[in-house]
């Protein structure tokens, strides 16, 4: 272990209590049982990122959508079965969640190297970190030791994940219910510096200003005009648009600069600037200082990854991330 890594782990231990890290989670969890685990994950994420630059955002999003439903337990990865209704069928995930085949590939490689050892929930956490790093964003030490759930909650997926048209108070409440504060909210939404959104997720911003059919007042007019041809009043629901059209594949602070120019694609993005002085101040801070954004994002990702993990004798280590084990 390098001196830098040893120092980073020592600092992590000091900060763990302040971050509310469950004592069962430990960055060293697989040091003996599967010492090559993190290298395997990073290698496959890197290969896939080279093949499909969109995949980094998709893998990061999977971790978010997993943790906000029943905690970080890989419930999002379960397919429907006789006893499970998959979260993949929920409104936030249907026709948009992707990257499941990448998780399958990582899991198969880990099962070959270290059978019945590395959980699917930990794979999601590591893949999210590696995807951020590979697109130019910050790294962080991932606490490990999560176990996998034996069930899913399509209802929780529909209700608990913030939606593109939610008001800011609703979004704040959904984050608060997960133990995340306003700083976490603004920092974590910065992940929209990469990735895409479908026309159906923001169409109302282009046409639904009360009584006029004009774009929202909080949407730059020239940006709205550029969006309309591929996002008409009807049709084109699945057409994809960059969340950050300036640097769409680079993890940076351009997302916040876009908000200041009223070029946030989703209503749930732009309200960070327009609906609250507290969130607006954070938007301005991150737009001005990328290093501070990176520091806060990394800290909030660790905090989010700590939401209600299954540890110890709870849950299981799935052999196949898409289905529970048979006993």
């Amino acid at each position: 272990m390098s001196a830098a890594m040893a120092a980073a782990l020592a600092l992590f231990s000091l900060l763990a209590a302040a971050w509310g890290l469950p004592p069962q989670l430990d960055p060293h969890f697989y040091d003996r049982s599967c010492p090559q685990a993190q290298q395997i994950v990073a290698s496959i994420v890197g290969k896939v990122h080279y093949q499909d630059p969109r995949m980094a955002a998709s893998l990061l999003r999977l971790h978010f959508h997993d943790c906000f439903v029943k905690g970080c337990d890989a419930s999002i990865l379960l397919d429907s079965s006789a006893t499970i209704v998959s979260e993949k069928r929920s409104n936030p995930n249907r026709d948009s969640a992707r990257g499941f085949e990448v998780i399958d590939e990582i899991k198969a490689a880990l099962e070959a190297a270290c059978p019945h050892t590395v959980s699917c929930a930990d794979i999601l956490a590591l893949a999210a970190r590696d995807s951020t790093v590979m697109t130019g964003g910050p790294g962080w030490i991932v606490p490990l030791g999560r176990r996998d759930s034996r069930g899913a909650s399509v209802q929780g997926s529909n209700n608990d994940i913030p939606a593109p048209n939610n008001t800011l108070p609703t979004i704040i409440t959904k984050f608060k219910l997960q133990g995340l504060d306003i700083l976490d909210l603004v920092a974590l939404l910065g992940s929209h510096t990469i990735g895409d959104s479908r026309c159906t997720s923001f169409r109302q911003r282009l046409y639904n200003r009360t009584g006029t059919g004009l774009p929202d007042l909080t949407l730059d007019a020239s940006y709205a005009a550029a969006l309309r041809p591929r996002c008409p009043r009807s049709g084109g629901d699945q057409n994809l648009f960059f969340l950050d059209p300036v640097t769409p594949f680079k993890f940076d602070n351009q997302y916040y600069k876009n908000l200041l120019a009223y070029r946030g694609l989703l209503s749930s993005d732009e309200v960070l600037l327009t609906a609250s002085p507290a969130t607006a101040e954070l938007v301005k801070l991150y737009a001005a200082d990328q290093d501070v954004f990176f520091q806060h994002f990394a800290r909030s990702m660790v905090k989010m990854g700590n939401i209600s993990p299954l540890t110890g004798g709870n849950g299981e280590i799935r052999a196949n991330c898409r289905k529970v084990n048979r006993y």
Side-chain angles (χ1 to χ4, degrees):
M1 180 186 297
S2 69
M5 179 59 74
L9 286 172
L11 177 61
F12 179 91
S13 298
L14 291 173
L15 294 175
W19 288 345
L21 179 63
Q24 301 93 330
L25 296 186
D26 185 345
H28 300 284
F29 191 83
Y30 298 114
D31 281 5
R32 293 188 177 182
S33 61
C34 193
Q36 65 270 55
Q38 297 201 43
Q39 180 181 352
I40 289 171
V41 176
S43 175
I44 294 174
V45 171
K47 180 196 72 171
V48 172
H49 174 61
Y50 178 78
Q51 297 169 341
D52 178 6
R54 289 183 58 219
M55 189 56 69
S58 298
L59 294 174
L60 184 55
R61 186 171 184 257
L62 280 183
H63 186 41
F64 276 84
H65 282 212
D66 179 44
C67 289
F68 267 74
V69 182
K70 302 192 324 90
C72 306
D73 61 0
S75 61
I76 193 174
L77 302 178
L78 289 169
D79 287 340
S80 291
S81 67
T83 57
I84 292 172
V85 178
S86 176
E87 292 171 20
K88 298 172 186 179
R89 294 185 177 184
S90 70
N91 291 329
N93 295 325
R94 188 175 59 246
D95 300 325
S96 64
R98 61 195 294 268
F100 300 107
E101 294 79 7
V102 178
I103 302 301
D104 292 340
E105 182 179 353
I106 295 170
K107 181 61 175 174
L110 287 168
E111 285 297 305
C114 317
H116 316 301
T117 302
V118 181
S119 70
C120 302
D122 279 345
I123 292 172
L124 285 173
L126 289 168
R129 188 271 311 276
D130 295 340
S131 295
T132 302
V133 171
M134 288 173 190
T135 49
W140 57 91
I141 296 169
V142 180
L144 299 165
R146 301 168 189 81
R147 291 168 65 84
D148 302 323
S149 70
R150 298 189 179 99
S153 175
V154 68
Q155 180 179 4
S157 188
N158 277 321
N159 296 334
D160 298 341
I161 297 172
N165 59 352
N166 280 161
T167 64
L168 183 58
T170 297
I171 298 170
I172 290 172
T173 296
K174 289 184 176 182
F175 271 73
K176 186 176 181 180
L177 289 172
Q178 306 294 347
L180 301 173
D181 58 26
I182 287 178
L183 187 149
D184 300 315
L185 187 163
V186 181
L188 291 173
L189 283 182
S191 62
H192 286 178
T193 187
I194 56 175
D196 309 279
S197 183
R198 297 173 295 160
C199 166
T200 188
S201 296
F202 64 86
R203 175 184 282 119
Q204 78 283 355
R205 299 202 72 207
L206 297 178
Y207 304 101
N208 284 2
R209 196 199 307 172
T210 305
T212 65
L214 296 174
D216 288 352
L217 290 172
T218 60
L219 184 63
D220 176 77
S222 62
Y223 185 39
L227 295 170
R228 282 187 170 208
R230 292 188 56 243
C231 190
R233 287 179 182 270
S234 63
D237 286 5
Q238 304 305 315
N239 289 346
L240 292 175
F241 295 76
F242 293 130
L243 287 162
D244 168 18
V246 181
T247 54
F249 298 111
K250 183 179 180 182
F251 198 103
D252 56 19
N253 67 336
Q254 183 62 46
Y255 164 81
Y256 300 103
K257 297 177 182 179
N258 295 341
L259 297 187
L260 293 178
Y262 298 99
R263 288 175 170 249
L265 185 64
L266 305 178
S267 174
S268 55
D269 292 326
E270 197 62 55
V271 292
L272 298 181
L273 178 70
T274 61
S276 161
T279 57
E281 285 304 309
L282 287 167
V283 168
K284 294 171 185 175
L285 172 63
Y286 297 155
D289 194 328
Q290 181 169 279
D291 289 341
V292 172
F293 163 50
F294 279 11
Q295 292 167 16
H296 289 185
F297 182 83
R299 183 179 66 184
S300 293
M301 283 297 293
V302 173
K303 191 174 174 181
M304 186 192 75
N306 298 341
I307 298 173
S308 303
L310 298 173
T311 58
N314 297 315
E316 63 182 15
I317 306 298
R318 290 187 215 136
N320 180 335
C321 290
R322 293 176 180 264
K323 58 187 180 181
V324 299
N325 296 333
R326 292 184 177 181
Y327 295 98

